[in-house]
Amino acid sequence: MLEFPNQSFVGKTLAELGIAVDVALTLQTTGFEDRRGGAALRGFSLSEVDVEAYVGQPWVATATDGWIALPEDGLTHVRVYGTFPRKIGYYARDRGVLSISDAVRSSTSLPAQIVGLTDRGLIRVGMKADLVVMSLDELRDNATLFDPHRFPSGIDYVLINGQLVLEDGHPNGALAGAVLSPSNR
């Protein structure tokens, strides 16, 4: 459990709390009144074997349903900060489930192609310059379930639309991004 008014519940699995109807009712009736179900829970329904089986497929695009999350917002999901470093650093470099180039392609040109972004995802003349300069040996996703607001390590520079937004691993305050929609892509 990630968040709950009774701190003795936080950090425990449902199995540790005892999967029973009375536990579910307790969570709902003594939890946060402004939250459906009374608590924030994280499901763990995929095994690492399953993840490795699909992560390396050439037709699997890497994406995240992540959102803008600020530390003052409280707990968020680790994928907000770590999806892409995990695929490239852990699954490609460390585990060898796919090549580094395939991990990058599945995070750049493949998702751009799928959603019809014809000016992104590749390094070519006329394309938007969305670029990441990383130290592959140092690339790590550092977010955890209980400390999710941790930036990955090993990302040195980021350019969005050709504008530098991360320098020497630190955000510079530039806001170069834009919401992409069918009308403005």
Side-chain angles (χ1 to χ4, degrees):
M1 174 154 333
L2 292 174
E3 293 179 289
F4 195 70
N6 180 340
Q7 290 299 300
S8 70
F9 283 55
V10 175
K12 295 215 168 83
T13 67
L14 288 177
E16 290 169 332
L17 293 173
I19 302 173
V21 173
D22 60 326
V23 171
L25 291 174
T26 298
L27 293 175
Q28 290 185 14
T29 59
T30 65
F32 294 108
E33 292 181 17
D34 62 341
R35 184 173 291 165
R36 271 191 315 198
L41 302 172
R42 190 72 74 227
F44 297 95
S45 59
L46 292 176
S47 74
E48 190 64 18
V49 172
D50 292 337
V51 173
E52 287 188 5
Y54 70 76
V55 116
Q57 298 302 318
W59 42 265
V60 172
T62 304
T64 175
D65 58 351
W67 45 90
I68 296 171
L70 302 173
E72 57 267 21
D73 295 337
L75 291 171
T76 189
H77 199 282
V78 295
R79 68 179 165 258
V80 171
Y81 291 87
T83 296
F84 302 97
R86 183 147 185 93
K87 180 150 190 187
I88 297 167
Y90 179 73
Y91 289 110
R93 181 199 59 220
D94 297 346
R95 302 284 298 155
V97 174
L98 70 166
S99 70
I100 300 293
S101 61
D102 284 340
V104 170
R105 183 189 74 79
S106 73
S107 302
T108 56
S109 63
L110 182 58
Q113 178 186 11
I114 289 169
V115 298
L117 299 175
T118 58
D119 62 348
R120 296 177 188 274
L122 296 169
I123 300 173
R124 288 191 182 152
V125 173
M127 303 292 273
K128 300 293 183 185
D130 296 336
L131 302 169
V132 174
V133 177
M134 65 183 106
S135 302
L136 189 56
D137 291 340
E138 297 173 24
L139 187 64
R140 302 264 181 289
D141 59 312
N142 297 315
T144 67
L145 287 175
F146 294 100
D147 190 10
H149 295 282
R150 296 183 64 202
F151 289 108
S153 45
I155 298 178
D156 304 311
Y157 297 91
V158 174
L159 287 93
I160 298 176
N161 290 319
Q163 186 176 346
L164 200 57
V165 299
L166 187 83
E167 300 178 65
D168 292 320
H170 302 286
N172 64 14
L175 302 174
V179 175
L180 303 177
S181 67
S183 64
N184 72 359
R185 60 178 171 190

